């Protein structure tokens, strides 16, 4: 049931270097192995052209018959046709990118446009409005920089929590089930948008902080000035009342003192430090290697929002009041204020008031929504979970089968899991590996850090009572839409196969029940693993699917390909010596394991050729590097003609 091979979109010549065994025999063995790949080389392709013989140290040892075998070494060189089509391919890729991502681009453009509008509007407002004429005399353009960036900070602080309201996203995904695929796909980019907003917050925080550092220094300089300038004069007005303009009332007060003793200064320092810790601990390296650091520091968002609401209450930055503007407009009165012994009424009537705090208005609704979200999570987490079965798989993978009253799931969804025995506060996401048709739900936990190691060790210990597990969810993901496509390509890397285990199990049950409502007509499943033990996780499931589809006359419904990316000579030797057997020596399945990594251009070309007028959903649960490769292939192989093949990329994001 292997994929039919098609030529890549950009032709290339393949030169095969062979040892002493005959060229036809070696080529036959390569094809039988499904494309044996040596590390750093590319797999064998049908139609490879043989070069002059070269003696190589074979991966196969001397056979009993005395004839030595060797692995296939292939060198790839790009032909002239590939170079000629580069410019055309670039234009086509751009067009395909727009076809697949026009809505995402529109959302980002709208968000960016609002930020630009807010910054520009308020920059010009504070730079020109006559109520801040005297404030600008002291602070200069730093006033406009500080206030414009503050408005953008409020806007992005309003947005930052919405992408992480998982229950809200699941609700929207459910209500949008009848909407177009393009609209539903935007919900899968929630974490990407969350990060984008976070980086924007960091940028505007830097602008806001630097501008206010200039402001404090200029306030201090104006207060100490004795040159009779307008800035010096207005800095000393109404110091004994609450109608002052300059917050520094004494020559002994320093900018450092203002920064660490006033409400705006102290809250500004605190929320800036909280934001720095949250952003720096969110890097890929920290999240993968020190997840606990990321988890705990991210909860500093509570301090961030509390500080943000309090930050503007004191109102240190001021402007002229409306009543004072009517009596002593700066256009008429500014010239009198610099006079010695000023007796004009402007000197008495020029009064100043604080700018009202507005941050709470921006963030109140999302904060209340997030509080409701967290209350709902806590309530659901407190509901009893019964662990019905514990299975230890090879490669330190723990399977937990559980039951919970009122728990309902769909394929590809995930849950958050907490083990109070290990940590009371840590919650980690896991994709559900069970099918909706089963009377339990299950997850697979791979040892990949302190928390997962501790959970596996806890369940391996023989204790009278089963360790308690708390579950929050399930929550929706891109994989829920897999049955909305006529053709689906499922790509899992290592433990990333878990959402597709749920899908494949559900397919098995649908075949059992002869479900006629199944829209999907063809599924291509790719599983990439580093070691042979990983394949043991779902061998039984794949074997059952093979048998059931053969019995139902739909043997072509599922095409799966297993790729072993980490292997040694002994594994390759065994595979080559047994390539004529009916089942694979690594997995025991009918499909032979392929040694190496997929050639995605070839795979996508084959699918496009086999389904020239279909909409193909490409689903990935795996690393970012693989995501970029698949996304690029989706762009390259989607037709600009909407009536022809279209590839839509979907990635699991937690």
């Amino acid at each position: 049931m292997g994929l039919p091979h098609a030529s890549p979109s950009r032709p290339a010549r393949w030169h095969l270097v062979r040892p002493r065994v005959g060229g036809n025999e070696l080529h036959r063995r390569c094809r039988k192995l499904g494309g044996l790949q040596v590390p750093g080389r590319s797999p064998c392709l049908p139609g490879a052209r043989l070069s002059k013989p070269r003696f190589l140290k074979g991966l196969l040892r001397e056979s009993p018959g005395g004839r030595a075998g060797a692995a296939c070494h292939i060198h790839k060189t790009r032909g002239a046709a590939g170079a000629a089509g580069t410019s055309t391919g670039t234009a086509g890729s751009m067009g395909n990118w727009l076809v697949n991502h026009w809505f995402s681009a529109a959302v980002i453009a709208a968000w960016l446009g609002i930020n630009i509008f807010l910054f520009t509007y308020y920059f010009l407002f504070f730079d020109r409005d006559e109520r801040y004429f005297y404030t600008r005399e002291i602070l200069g353009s730093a006033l406009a920089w500080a206030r414009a960036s503050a408005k953008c900070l409020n806007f992005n602080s309003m947005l930052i929590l919405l992408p992480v309201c998982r229950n809200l996203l699941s609700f929207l995904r459910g209500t949008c089930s009848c909407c177009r695929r393009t609209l539903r796909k935007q919900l899968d980019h929630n974490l990407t948008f969350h990060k984008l907003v976070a980086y924007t917050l960091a940028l505007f925080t830097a602008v806001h902080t630097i501008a206010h550092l200039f402001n404090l220094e200029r306030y201090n300089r104006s207060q100490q000035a004795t040159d009779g300038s307008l800035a010096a004069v207005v800095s000393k007005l109404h110091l004994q009342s609450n109608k002052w303009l300059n917050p520094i009332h004494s020559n002994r007060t320093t900018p450092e003192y203002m920064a660490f003793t006033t409400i705006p200064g102290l809250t500004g320092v605190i929320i800036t430090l909280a934001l720095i810790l949250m952003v720096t601990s969110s890097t890929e390296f920290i999240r993968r290697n020190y997840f606990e650091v990321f988890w705990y520091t991210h909860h500093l968002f509570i301090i961030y929002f509390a500080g943000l609401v309090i930050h503007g209450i004191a109102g240190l930055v001021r402007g002229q009041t409306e009543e004072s503007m009517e009596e002593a407009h700066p256009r008429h009165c500014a010239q009198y204020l610099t006079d010695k012994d000023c007796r004009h009424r402007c000197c008495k009537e020029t009064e100043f008031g604080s700018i009202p705090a507005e941050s709470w208005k921006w963030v109140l609704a999302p904060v209340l929504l997030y509080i409701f979200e967290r209350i709902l999570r806590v309530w659901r987490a407190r509901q009893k979970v019964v662990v019905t079965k514990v299975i230890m798989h090879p490669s330190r993978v723990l399977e937990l089968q559980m039951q919970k009253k009122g728990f309902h799931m769909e394929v590809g969804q995930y849950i958050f899991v907490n083990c109070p025995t290990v940590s009371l506060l840590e919650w980690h996401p896991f994709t559900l590996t069970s099918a909706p048709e089963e009377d339990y739900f299950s997850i697979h936990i791979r040892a990949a850090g302190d928390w997962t190691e501790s959970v596996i060790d806890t369940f391996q210990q023989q204790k009278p009572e089963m360790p308690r597990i708390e579950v929050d969810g399930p929550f929706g993901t891109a994989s829920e839409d897999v049955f909305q496509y006529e053709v689906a390509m499922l790509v899992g890397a290592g433990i990333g196969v878990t959402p597709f285990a749920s899908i494949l199990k559900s397919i098995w049950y649908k075949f059992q029940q002869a479900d006629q409502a199944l829209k999907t007509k063809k599924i291509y499943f790719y599983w990439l693993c580093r070691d042979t033990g990983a394949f043991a996780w779902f061998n039984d499931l794949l074997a059952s699917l093979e048998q059931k589809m053969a019995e139902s006359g739909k043997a072509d419904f599922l095409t799966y390909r297993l790729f072993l990316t980490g292997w040694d000579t002994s594994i390759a030797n065994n595979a080559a010596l047994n390539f004529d057997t009916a089942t694979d020596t690594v997995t025991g399945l009918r499909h032979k394991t392929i040694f190496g990594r997929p050639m995605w251009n070839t795979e996508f070309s084959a699918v496009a050729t086999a389904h020239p007028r279909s909409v193909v959903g490409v689903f990935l649960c795996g690393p970012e590097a693989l995501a970029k490769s698949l996304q690029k292939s989706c762009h390259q192989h989607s037709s600009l003609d909407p009536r022809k093949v279209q590839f839509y990329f979907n990635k699991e994001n937690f």
Side-chain angles (χ1 to χ4, degrees):
M1 290 192 292
L3 279 171
H5 285 284
S7 299
S9 58
R10 283 179 281 186
R13 293 197 301 272
W14 298 86
H15 301 272
L16 182 64
V17 182
R18 60 179 176 82
R20 282 181 289 182
V21 294
N24 293 334
E25 171 65 15
L26 182 61
H27 195 190
R28 186 173 72 87
R29 292 191 182 192
C30 282
R31 295 181 65 182
K32 285 287 186 180
L33 285 173
L36 184 64
Q37 182 182 1
V38 177
R41 306 290 186 182
S42 301
C44 302
L45 287 181
R49 184 166 66 85
L50 300 181
S51 70
K52 293 182 179 181
R54 183 184 298 175
F55 292 100
L56 300 171
K57 182 179 179 181
L59 288 178
L60 300 181
R61 301 298 180 226
E62 188 77 21
S63 64
R67 187 165 66 174
C72 309
H73 291 246
I74 302 179
H75 301 270
K76 180 179 178 183
T77 58
R78 183 162 306 284
T86 301
S87 58
T88 305
T90 302
S93 295
M94 180 61 70
N96 291 330
W97 186 91
L98 290 174
V99 168
N100 281 277
H101 298 282
W102 68 268
F103 193 81
S104 296
V107 170
I108 295 300
W111 167 78
L112 194 60
I114 293 173
N115 275 288
I116 293 173
F117 168 77
L118 286 173
F119 190 89
T120 305
Y121 176 83
Y122 282 101
F123 186 93
L124 295 175
F125 176 80
F126 283 97
D127 195 51
R128 297 179 181 178
D129 192 274
E130 292 182 331
R131 282 174 293 179
Y132 303 100
F133 176 85
Y134 295 116
T135 314
R136 288 194 297 272
E137 282 294 317
I138 299 175
L139 304 180
S141 62
L143 169 68
W145 282 99
R147 300 308 301 171
S149 57
K151 296 297 180 182
C152 292
L153 278 170
N154 288 336
F155 172 64
N156 287 282
S157 296
M158 177 185 72
L159 298 178
I160 191 72
L161 289 177
L162 297 180
V164 292
C165 289
R166 296 192 292 268
N167 289 292
L168 173 64
L169 295 179
S170 294
F171 172 76
L172 292 176
R173 183 180 291 279
T175 56
C176 291
S177 58
C178 57
C179 300
R180 291 189 62 185
R181 182 183 298 112
T182 307
L183 299 178
R184 292 199 309 275
K185 273 172 60 66
Q186 306 318 306
L187 299 176
D188 303 326
H189 302 307
N190 60 316
L191 293 184
T192 302
F193 186 67
H194 176 73
K195 294 174 186 177
L196 187 60
V197 173
Y199 292 138
T200 306
L201 280 174
L203 173 64
F204 284 120
T205 297
V207 174
H208 187 73
T209 302
I210 293 171
H212 271 316
L213 289 176
F214 277 101
N215 289 339
L216 286 176
E217 183 58 38
R218 288 171 180 175
Y219 273 135
N220 185 56
R221 187 176 61 193
S222 298
Q223 181 61 42
Q224 294 182 359
T226 57
D227 57 359
S229 64
L230 184 58
V233 171
V234 294
S235 293
K236 297 173 177 61
L237 289 177
H238 308 296
L239 295 182
Q240 304 304 317
S241 67
N242 194 36
K243 299 174 182 179
W244 45 264
L245 177 62
N246 192 329
I248 298 180
H249 296 172
S250 168
N251 290 343
R252 294 189 299 272
T253 304
T254 64
E256 293 79 8
Y257 179 84
M258 295 293 294
F260 290 98
T261 59
T262 60
I263 291 176
L266 187 59
T267 55
V269 171
I270 291 173
I271 62 180
T272 300
L273 289 176
L275 189 63
I276 290 172
L277 288 172
M278 285 190 287
V279 171
T280 54
S281 65
S282 302
T283 59
E284 187 77 11
F285 176 79
I286 296 293
R287 284 191 295 111
R288 291 199 174 275
N289 297 283
Y290 306 98
F291 184 84
E292 294 81 3
V293 174
F294 159 76
W295 177 260
Y296 290 120
T297 55
H298 237 57
H299 282 77
L300 291 173
F301 80 92
I302 299 172
I303 295 175
Y304 173 83
F305 278 98
L308 185 68
V309 170
I310 300 171
H311 183 61
I313 289 178
L316 293 190
V317 178
R318 295 186 159 203
Q320 193 171 355
T321 62
E322 292 290 346
E323 296 81 3
S324 176
M325 289 284 290
E326 294 177 3
E327 299 293 332
H329 198 283
R331 204 181 307 159
H332 308 297
C333 293
Q335 56 183 325
Y336 297 107
L337 293 178
T338 55
D339 293 343
K340 289 184 178 181
D341 301 324
C342 176
R343 300 186 181 276
H344 196 277
R345 64 183 180 87
C346 290
C347 300
K348 297 181 180 180
E349 300 294 342
T350 306
E351 299 174 350
F352 307 95
S354 61
I355 302 172
E358 294 183 345
S359 295
W360 67 272
K361 298 177 183 179
W362 290 84
V363 301
L364 179 62
V367 166
L368 289 177
L369 180 64
Y370 189 77
I371 290 173
F372 175 76
E373 165 97 6
R374 294 304 290 254
I375 292 172
L376 181 59
R377 290 187 200 176
V378 171
W379 175 76
R380 291 198 305 193
R382 295 302 178 212
Q383 296 176 348
K384 186 178 180 180
V385 176
V386 179
V387 180
T388 58
K389 194 172 184 179
V390 178
I391 304 172
M392 194 66 202
H393 293 286
S395 301
R396 294 239 338 137
V397 174
L398 176 72
E399 179 183 356
L400 297 180
Q401 295 183 5
M402 297 166 281
Q403 290 180 333
K404 180 180 178 180
K405 186 178 179 181
F407 188 92
H408 301 287
M409 62 163 289
E410 297 294 335
V411 294
Q413 290 186 327
Y414 69 97
I415 59 175
F416 272 78
V417 175
N418 170 257
C419 183
T421 308
V422 176
S423 174
L424 289 172
L425 299 178
E426 284 189 54
W427 290 79
H428 294 261
F430 292 93
T431 306
L432 292 165
T433 55
S434 52
E437 294 83 358
E438 293 174 314
D439 60 355
Y440 64 88
F441 62 96
S442 65
I443 59 173
H444 285 65
I445 302 174
R446 178 173 63 90
D450 294 340
W451 188 89
T452 52
E453 290 277 5
S454 299
V455 170
I456 292 172
D457 292 339
T458 300
F459 276 93
Q460 282 185 314
Q461 295 171 5
Q462 300 297 325
K463 292 185 177 180
E465 292 186 4
M466 191 76 71
R468 186 163 64 92
I469 289 291
E470 294 182 352
V471 169
D472 179 29
F475 302 106
T477 67
S479 297
E480 282 186 67
D481 296 334
V482 67
F483 294 133
Q484 300 297 321
Y485 293 89
E486 292 181 3
V487 181
M489 297 174 68
L490 314 179
V491 183
I495 197 68
V497 75
T498 48
F500 309 130
S502 174
I503 293 169
L504 295 176
K505 284 183 181 180
S506 185
I507 290 172
W508 189 89
Y509 282 106
K510 291 180 187 298
F511 275 106
Q512 285 280 83
Q513 301 164 4
D515 188 353
Q516 300 299 320
L518 185 61
K519 180 181 177 180
T520 306
K521 305 301 180 186
K522 179 70 177 179
I523 287 182
Y524 297 92
F525 174 50
Y526 306 84
W527 189 8
L528 290 68
C529 286
R530 292 179 181 176
D531 57 90
T532 56
F535 287 124
W537 299 338
F538 303 112
N539 269 6
D540 292 341
L541 171 62
L542 292 174
S544 299
L545 278 170
E546 277 185 335
Q547 181 180 355
K548 189 61 187 176
M549 288 185 296
E551 292 173 356
S552 60
K554 295 185 178 181
D556 292 334
F557 177 84
L558 174 67
T559 293
Y560 67 86
R561 307 189 75 180
L562 309 181
F563 295 85
L564 186 62
T565 59
W567 47 280
D568 54 28
T569 55
S570 61
I571 297 174
N573 291 345
N574 188 39
L577 291 171
N578 296 280
F579 65 81
D580 281 327
T581 57
T583 58
D584 183 56
T585 58
V586 177
T587 63
L589 298 169
R590 296 175 190 173
H591 276 54
K592 298 301 178 72
T593 300
I594 301 173
F595 292 77
R597 301 181 183 277
M599 296 187 63
W600 292 116
N601 273 337
T602 303
E603 303 293 343
F604 275 80
S605 294
V607 174
T609 302
H611 310 279
R613 295 186 178 276
S614 296
V615 176
V616 182
V618 180
F619 296 85
L620 167 69
C621 187
E624 193 62 34
L626 182 56
K628 291 179 181 178
S629 178
L630 289 175
Q631 200 162 17
K632 181 180 178 182
S633 295
C634 286
H635 298 160
Q636 288 179 342
H637 295 276
S638 291
S639 173
L640 292 175
D641 187 346
R643 297 169 297 179
K644 295 183 179 180
V645 65
Q646 302 287 328
F647 290 91
Y648 285 90
F649 179 72
N650 304 269
K651 185 181 183 298
E652 297 290 314
N653 293 301
F654 298 140

